């Protein structure tokens, strides 16, 4: 058996790993991923049902001679790890959260992804639902390993699996791993030193607080700020700029045709399981609601003290009575929203909800969204909230994929996005 001490590594991976460690400074900058200049943190997030996003930061792309001078090194930077120097674009990347798989695909490196935190089919089905509308874009999940082996709500990732994957880069937030059962700062430092550096940020999902060892220097970013930094990892700034332009055009399109604020519906985002609603705020920061925030709608839970522990019964939700209910993880994911809607319609209390009576209980997006997901989820939300302005949201049932939208009613150009992913943008 190969031990951690005598485990061999390629010259290329050694250069990537050492480059990530050289710049280390501070309590956790060195431990978590190798960093300088505002690094050093740790945390948790990324399972199906929580969120965070916002900040400014450097994206570093210095080129320097590496090793014998035959290769040009470059640096990337993002909290919590700070600055990481790579000698080559990573070709084998460990991914935990779905947004980073979507980013890898968006920037033309989806084939580098070797893992996901949870069931690859569940995450892959969600990506497939969107990618099916983009000619030539796909996520090949054959051979993708599932990192979490926990049960009963606990998250367990075996360190030996990370040695086995032997990734060039761990495109994941090391602070998330610090929060897992059996992990601490020393464990993430061990993986960095013996396998490869870390680079990721997930507590920007709802700008939540990371685990205690990470709190001093943690920073929050928007979805597109994270995407820009990941594009730098793959040395794909042109693809990023092109996709960001599509996003900006889309947001401009929907915001130019919104009704006055006083005429917008109250909206609730939630999960429903076994007779209980689990609400979440949509008016706060974080990339979890990056597909809803552009519409400036009133948050039905805005007056409530909503936390991750908040749970409502039917009677309490009826007291709030949102005009529109958006059920998270609703597109080819964990929940059959059509079946939930039927269940609620047959309930003597839930059946009185305005969103049920008016047929405005919708499958909504995945809060752990990357840039391509975000484009489709903004379009979807526009049609669900304002069908009279952006076209009706088609009937959707689990297994149908993202509905076919008539070309005249599409809010962004599918061909343009597919060309960007393929590297064919002008």
């Amino acid at each position: 058996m190969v031990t951690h001490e005598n485990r061999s590594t390629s010259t290329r991976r050694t250069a990537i790993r050492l480059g990530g460690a050289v710049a280390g400074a501070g309590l956790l900058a060195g431990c978590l991923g190798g960093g300088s200049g505002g690094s050093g943190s740790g945390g948790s997030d990324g399972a199906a049902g929580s969120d965070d996003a916002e900040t400014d930061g450097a994206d570093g792309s210095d080129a320097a001679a590496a090793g014998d001078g035959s290769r040009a090194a470059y640096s990337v930077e993002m909290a919590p790890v700070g600055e990481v120097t790579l000698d080559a674009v990573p070709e084998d990347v460990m991914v935990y959260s779905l947004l980073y798989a979507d980013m890898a695909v968006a920037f033309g490196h989806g084939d580098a992804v070797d893992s996901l935190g949870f069931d690859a089919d569940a995450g892959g089905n969600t990506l497939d639902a969107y990618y099916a509308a983009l000619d030539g874009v796909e996520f090949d999940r054959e051979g993708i390993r599932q990192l979490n082996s926990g049960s009963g709500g606990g998250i367990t990732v075996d360190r030996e699996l990370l040695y086995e994957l032997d990734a060039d880069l761990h495109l994941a937030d090391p602070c998330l791993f610090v929060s897992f059962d059996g992990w601490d700062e020393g464990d993430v430092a061990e993986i960095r030193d013996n396998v490869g550096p870390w680079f990721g940020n997930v507590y920007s999902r709802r700008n939540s607080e990371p685990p205690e060892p990470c709190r001093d220097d943690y920073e929050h970013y928007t979805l597109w700020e994270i995407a820009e930094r990941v594009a730098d990892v793959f040395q794909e700034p042109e693809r990023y700029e092109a996709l960001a332009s599509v996003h900006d055009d889309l947001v401009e399109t929907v915001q130019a045709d919104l009704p006055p604020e006083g005429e917008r519906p109250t909206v609730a985002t939630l999960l429903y399981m076994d007779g209980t609603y689990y609400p979440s705020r949509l008016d706060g920061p974080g990339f979890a609601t990056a597909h809803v925030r552009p519409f400036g709608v009133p948050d039905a839970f805005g007056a409530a003290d909503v936390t991750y522990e908040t749970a409502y019964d039917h009677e309490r939700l009826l007291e709030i009575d949102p005009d529109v209910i958006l059920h998270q993880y609703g597109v080819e994911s964990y929940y059959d929203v059509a079946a939930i809607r039927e269940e609620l319609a047959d309930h003597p209390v839930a059946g009185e909800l305005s969103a049920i009576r008016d047929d405005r209980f919708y499958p909504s997006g995945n809060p752990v969204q990357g840039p391509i997901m975000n484009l489709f989820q903004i379009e979807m939300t526009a049609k669900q909230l304002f069908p009279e302005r952006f076209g009706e949201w088609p009937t959707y049932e689990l297994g149908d994929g993202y509905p076919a939208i008539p070309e005249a009613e599409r809010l962004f150009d599918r061909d343009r996005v597919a060309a960007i992913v393929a590297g064919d943008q002008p």
Side-chain angles (χ1 to χ4, degrees), residues 124-188:
N125 287 341
T126 300
L127 296 181
D128 287 350
Y130 299 129
Y131 297 168
L134 304 174
D135 186 35
V137 178
E138 62 180 4
F139 178 62
D140 183 1
R141 55 188 184 273
E142 182 177 354
I144 295 290
R145 302 290 295 275
Q146 178 174 326
L147 297 175
N148 177 33
S149 58
S151 60
I155 297 178
T156 301
V157 177
D158 188 346
R159 283 185 298 136
E160 294 299 325
L161 177 56
L162 271 61
Y163 279 98
E164 182 181 338
L165 290 172
D166 196 24
D168 294 332
L169 178 73
H170 301 96
L171 194 56
D173 191 331
C175 299
L176 176 64
F177 277 69
V178 169
S179 76
F180 292 165
D181 295 341
W183 283 76
D184 60 24
E185 309 95 284
D187 296 316
V188 296

Side-chain angles (χ1 to χ4, degrees), residues 389-412:
R389 293 172 180 265
F390 302 113
E392 293 280 346
W393 171 249
T395 300
Y396 166 82
E397 293 189 5
L398 187 66
D400 286 351
Y402 189 83
I405 305 293
E407 187 169 358
E409 296 182 12
R410 297 172 187 171
L411 300 184
F412 69 93

Side-chain angles (χ1 to χ4, degrees), residues 55-57 59 103-109 221-248 370-372 374-375 416-417 419-423 425-426:
T55 272
D56 201 35
D59 56 295
M103 289 179 188
V105 172
F107 303 134
H109 293 263
Y221 304 88
T222 67
L223 168 61
W224 288 86
E225 287 172 343
I226 295 174
E228 183 175 17
R229 288 155 175 78
V230 174
D232 289 336
V233 167
F234 292 115
Q235 295 288 273
E236 297 288 353
E238 293 84 6
R239 276 190 172 104
Y240 166 77
E241 292 294 343
L243 274 178
S245 177
V246 175
H247 169 261
D248 293 346
I372 297 177
N374 183 237
L375 297 176
R416 181 182 175 193
V417 173
I420 292 168
V421 174
Q425 77 277 8

Side-chain angles (χ1 to χ4, degrees), residues 185-386:
E185 309 95 284
D187 296 316
V188 296
E190 175 191 320
I191 294 299
R192 181 209 62 200
D193 292 341
N194 292 334
V195 186
W198 299 85
F199 194 81
N201 181 305
V202 294
Y203 288 92
S204 290
R205 183 173 172 178
R206 285 206 181 271
N207 285 16
S208 59
E209 190 173 56
E212 192 279 331
C214 301
R215 291 175 188 171
D216 288 345
D217 300 305
Y218 203 91
E219 297 182 37
H220 296 113
Y221 304 88
T222 67
L223 168 61
W224 288 86
E225 287 172 343
I226 295 174
E228 183 175 17
R229 288 155 175 78
V230 174
D232 289 336
V233 167
F234 292 115
Q235 295 288 273
E236 297 288 353
E238 293 84 6
R239 276 190 172 104
Y240 166 77
E241 292 294 343
L243 274 178
S245 177
V246 175
H247 169 261
D248 293 346
D249 290 348
L250 173 58
V251 171
E252 182 178 348
T253 295
V254 298
Q255 292 186 337
D257 201 21
L258 291 175
E261 291 186 13
E263 299 176 15
R264 300 174 193 177
T266 59
V267 179
T269 58
L270 52 71
L271 298 172
Y272 175 79
M273 291 183 287
D274 301 326
T276 301
Y277 304 94
Y278 298 92
S280 61
R281 296 289 294 269
L282 62 80
D283 60 355
F287 62 71
T289 53
H291 58 301
V292 184
R293 190 178 303 111
F295 299 96
V297 292
D299 187 347
F301 302 131
D305 184 18
V306 173
T307 69
Y308 290 127
E309 289 76 36
T310 302
Y312 293 154
D313 58 16
H314 296 297
E315 289 75 14
R316 176 58 181 138
L317 188 62
L318 183 58
E319 290 175 5
I320 299 170
D321 198 22
D323 296 322
V324 179
I325 296 176
L326 303 179
H327 193 291
Q328 299 178 53
Y329 299 98
V331 177
E332 300 305 310
S333 190
Y334 301 98
Y335 299 91
D336 185 342
V337 178
I340 292 173
R341 185 171 54 240
E342 290 182 9
E343 176 187 335
L344 298 181
D346 290 339
H347 191 277
V349 176
E352 294 302 310
L353 288 165
S354 296
I356 295 296
R357 288 190 287 103
D358 298 338
D359 199 23
R360 303 205 71 185
F361 185 99
Y362 296 111
S364 189
N366 189 319
V368 193
Q369 59 190 308
I372 297 177
M373 299 168 69
N374 183 237
L375 297 176
F376 282 100
Q377 293 181 175
I378 290 174
E379 178 183 74
M380 172 171 58
T381 305
K383 294 178 177 297
Q384 293 169 345
L385 298 184
F386 304 106

